[in-house]
Amino acid sequence: PQPFSQSPEAYSLTVTEEGIDIAANSNRGLVYGNTTLEQLWDEQAQAYPLVAIQDYPAYSVRGVMHDVGRNFQSIDYLKKQLRQLARYKINTFHWHLSDNPGWRIEAIRYPQLNDPANYRPGRDPGKFYTYAEIIDLFEYARALNIQVIPELDMPGHSEYVKETFGFGMGSWRGRRICRELLREFFEQVPAELAPYIHIGSDEVFIPFPGNFIRGLEQVAREHGRKVIV
């Protein structure tokens, strides 16, 4: 273990005339040590500089958020960005999967949510991620030491629900649909890949908001998830 920090992301990197040594508290630290080593390579000199580095994060959560509910991005493009984020040692990707323009997740119980007619015009109507693609991105990110935190925004930023069903999330029928959508997500995406769920809850006024959020929290906890709002 490294005496200078107990962080699992800490590492020491030493480059001498005799060789290169990387030590860390965990595999995550080793990955970051190797990342730094790659960035130190001097292409012109065809050599590494002689250095002694002790590195650990000031913040345990270092994240970037994309709102693909508003601006859809392909899985390949997201992977390209994750690779770049990993080079900067970003360890959290907040994946905002729904917003007013549409529900960007495969809808098994309610396939009408994926109908292009129910998306906001001009905002990539009908484009969504299958659960196979979602799981693939989670696994890809995990291999890069990045934790994906999915956000299913409820009850705010959900015009697509009224467009699809004729009523909003704040209605009793809307609340039931929200709980079913959460259950479906948890049934498809294992807790070990997605231990956290962000349920938004911002910028909206509905009757009895506390009851609404507690109902979603109960569903999440029944499936072993930690809730962020």
Side-chain angles (χ1 to χ4, degrees):
Q2 300 303 298
F4 64 90
S5 172
Q6 296 302 310
S7 168
E9 297 179 307
Y11 66 91
S12 65
L13 167 63
T14 306
V15 181
T16 66
E17 297 285 359
E18 287 71 40
I20 298 170
D21 180 72
I22 300 175
N25 294 330
S26 73
N27 184 65
R28 293 164 65 188
L30 289 176
V31 169
Y32 288 140
N34 275 293
T35 298
T36 297
L37 182 63
E38 291 172 5
Q39 294 166 337
L40 289 172
W41 176 252
D42 186 328
E43 189 67 35
Q44 184 173 358
Q46 288 292 294
Y48 294 104
L50 304 182
V51 296
I53 295 172
Q54 290 187 330
D55 188 20
Y56 63 94
Y59 301 100
S60 59
V61 177
R62 307 176 301 283
V64 168
M65 187 269 278
H66 279 331
D67 184 349
V68 296
R70 293 181 184 271
N71 300 287
F72 186 85
Q73 300 179 33
S74 71
I75 292 293
D76 285 344
Y77 187 56
L78 290 174
K79 285 181 175 180
K80 179 180 179 180
Q81 294 179 70
L82 288 174
R83 291 194 296 272
Q84 187 62 39
L85 293 175
R87 287 178 56 80
Y88 290 119
K89 302 181 177 71
I90 296 296
N91 66 2
T92 304
F93 175 51
H94 182 154
W95 200 8
H96 198 312
L97 282 160
S98 68
D99 212 292
N100 284 323
W103 179 258
R104 300 297 187 181
I105 305 164
E106 178 182 2
I108 299 172
R109 285 182 174 87
Y110 297 102
Q112 59 267 48
L113 284 170
N114 298 143
D115 187 331
N118 296 321
Y119 285 70
R120 181 182 288 178
R123 290 287 186 167
D124 301 302
K127 289 189 177 181
F128 63 91
Y129 306 102
T130 67
Y131 275 111
E133 289 175 321
I134 290 170
I135 291 172
D136 177 54
L137 192 76
F138 270 93
E139 292 177 338
Y140 190 85
R142 183 167 64 173
L144 295 171
N145 283 341
I146 297 174
Q147 175 64 61
V148 179
I149 298 179
E151 178 173 347
L152 314 183
D153 208 343
M154 301 174 177
H157 301 173
S158 56
E159 289 178 4
Y160 63 89
V161 168
K162 192 167 186 178
E163 190 68 30
T164 302
F165 300 105
F167 51 81
M169 280 187 174
S171 67
W172 68 268
R173 289 180 294 178
R175 294 173 187 231
R176 176 173 54 81
I177 287 173
C178 286
R179 292 192 293 270
E180 290 178 351
L181 290 173
L182 273 185
R183 289 191 185 96
E184 180 170 287
F185 189 88
F186 297 147
E187 289 165 1
Q188 297 295 322
V189 183
E192 57 267 25
L193 287 179
Y196 301 97
I197 183 72
H198 200 305
I199 56 176
S201 82
D202 55 319
E203 299 181 339
V204 69
F205 297 93
I206 62 170
F208 309 108
N211 291 341
F212 181 94
I213 296 300
R214 280 191 290 272
L216 300 181
E217 287 178 330
Q218 181 179 353
V219 172
R221 288 174 179 144
E222 286 172 356
H223 290 82
R225 316 299 168 117
K226 296 179 180 179
V227 179
I228 303 172
V229 295

